[in-house]
Amino acid sequence: MNVKKRHAFKAFWGLNASQASHHEKLVSALGGFLSILLILLVSRSFLELSASVALVASMGASAVLLFAVPHGPLSQPWPLLGGNLISAFIGVTCAQLIDPPILAASTAVGLAILAMYYFKCIHPPGGATALTAAIGGESIHALGYQFVITPVLLNVLCILMIAIIFNAFFHWRRYPAALQHSTYSPPDTPSNENLSHEDFIHALKEIDSFVDINEHDLKRIFELANLNANATHLDPDDIQLGEVYSNGKLGKNWSMRQVIDESRSDNPAKDYVIFKQIAGQEKKTSDCITRAEFARWAQYPMIKENGLWHRKSAPNQSTSGAE
């Protein structure tokens, strides 16, 4: 298997290069061990063994996030607290109001996902918490909404406390992520926009903690951030009849529009332009929208020179590369 096929095979199956040292992996495992040990002791005080094991399954998933991916957005305190408590409440409600249990369980998980989205606390183990509350057995159903407090809230507070204290012993993995302050000072050299795949792999390994992003997405983020930093944000008054504008996006999302007609008005709500798409794959090939809406879409004007489209230069600036 050649190098290109090997990379394609790994990408298909999600076999990314290891981002953490052996020491970091052992630290993560130790944190998971301590947190689940305490949670099992707490759960056993309120539930019979079989029921406590069912609930701790979701806490085990939370432990993976808090100790293996401590800086990830899904691992932070609000997703942990909100994701589990809201899901537990939904699971208990579905168990009490919906029959048969199969429908109650599936409804609980679906509603938990929806609620976590709107409350900005997406935490994958929350789905397991909702499922446990819905079909966890008689000992869990007998608790009713008390289940949300004991053992769910108690377990969540236990694992949160352990995560904060345990991770504090390791300077490179503070928890919550807001406590992680970078000490890196970039040198006074221009940024290199031609970074290689290996450069991003090296950067991820230098962090020495599992980062919930692969090198391809990281490079994409870097490109988009640079693009946005260099973008010219247009005002409605900048949009002129006959001019061509680009949305400034990358790859297949890039497109150009030309203003072919307008209906000017001092009232921004009635100041319309009509455009046609001259490049790109956006669904709207033509439309009539306000000048302000068009300005929010457009990033910069374009000009055609020697048969090629270029970003139009501001006065006293050189023209940028062709699109």
Side-chain angles (χ1 to χ4, degrees):
M1 185 181 294
N2 59 37
V3 174
K4 186 176 181 180
K5 288 183 177 179
R6 186 162 60 251
H7 283 169
F9 177 83
K10 289 182 177 181
F12 179 83
W13 291 106
L15 296 172
N16 295 318
S18 177
Q19 300 168 5
S21 65
H22 295 297
H23 178 257
E24 169 67 10
K25 293 169 185 174
L26 291 173
V27 167
S28 299
L30 179 59
F33 165 76
L34 293 174
S35 63
I36 296 303
L37 177 62
L38 180 57
I39 286 172
L40 276 171
L41 293 174
V42 171
S43 295
R44 194 172 61 177
S45 301
F46 295 94
L47 299 170
E48 64 184 39
L49 182 60
S50 60
S52 66
V53 169
L55 176 62
V56 170
S58 65
M59 291 295 103
S62 293
V64 173
L65 289 173
L66 269 66
F67 296 99
V69 199
H71 304 141
L74 306 183
S75 309
Q76 300 313 300
W78 171 237
L80 172 69
L81 286 164
N84 278 299
L85 296 179
I86 292 170
S87 298
F89 180 86
I90 291 173
V92 172
T93 302
C94 289
Q96 294 185 355
L97 300 180
I98 301 175
D99 197 45
I102 291 177
L103 183 59
S106 53
T107 302
V109 174
L111 290 178
I113 293 172
L114 185 66
M116 285 189 285
Y117 259 120
Y118 280 105
F119 285 97
K120 296 180 173 60
C121 57
I122 294 178
H123 188 68
T129 300
L131 192 62
T132 301
I135 56 172
E138 291 302 321
S139 60
I140 289 179
H141 292 163
L143 289 173
Y145 288 105
Q146 181 66 27
F147 173 79
V148 179
I149 306 302
T150 53
V152 175
L153 176 59
L154 205 53
N155 283 344
V156 167
L157 291 177
C158 285
I159 197 171
L160 177 60
M161 177 188 68
I162 294 172
I164 293 173
I165 296 173
F166 179 83
N167 287 313
F169 286 99
F170 309 99
H171 67 86
W172 67 92
R173 48 181 291 146
R174 291 289 185 262
Y175 180 86
L179 300 178
Q180 180 75 9
H181 299 296
S182 176
T183 58
Y184 171 71
S185 298
D188 296 327
T189 56
S191 62
N192 184 353
E193 298 186 11
N194 297 313
L195 298 175
S196 69
H197 172 89
E198 289 72 20
D199 292 326
F200 284 95
I201 289 290
H202 175 76
L204 289 170
K205 287 183 177 179
E206 284 295 304
I207 294 173
D208 198 19
S209 180
F210 184 85
V211 181
D212 193 16
I213 186 173
N214 61 45
E215 65 276 10
H216 304 292
D217 286 338
L218 184 59
K219 186 175 182 181
R220 173 73 170 169
I221 291 170
F222 178 81
E223 290 171 347
L224 291 172
N226 271 290
L227 188 65
N228 185 69
N230 296 323
T232 302
H233 297 284
L234 301 177
D235 293 322
D237 291 340
D238 296 325
I239 307 304
Q240 301 295 321
L241 179 63
E243 291 287 331
V244 176
Y245 301 88
S246 169
N247 62 356
K249 294 185 177 180
L250 299 174
K252 64 179 182 180
N253 295 318
W254 172 80
S255 66
M256 291 194 304
R257 294 174 176 178
Q258 183 177 26
V259 179
I260 59 174
D261 203 354
E262 62 181 6
S263 177
R264 283 193 172 272
S265 172
D266 293 334
N267 183 350
K270 296 181 179 180
D271 187 13
Y272 289 101
V273 298
I274 299 174
F275 71 82
K276 70 175 181 179
Q277 182 172 295
I278 61 174
Q281 302 178 22
E282 290 187 291
K283 292 182 179 180
K284 286 188 176 182
T285 57
S286 63
D287 201 358
C288 178
I289 59 177
T290 66
R291 197 177 302 272
E293 289 175 319
F294 191 94
R296 286 194 293 271
W297 172 89
Q299 286 294 317
Y300 43 77
M302 302 290 291
I303 187 171
K304 196 171 187 178
E305 297 177 341
N306 300 321
L308 296 174
W309 285 100
H310 298 265
R311 178 173 174 171
K312 192 174 183 178
S313 302
N316 302 321
Q317 290 183 349
S318 60
T319 304
S320 63
E323 290 275 354

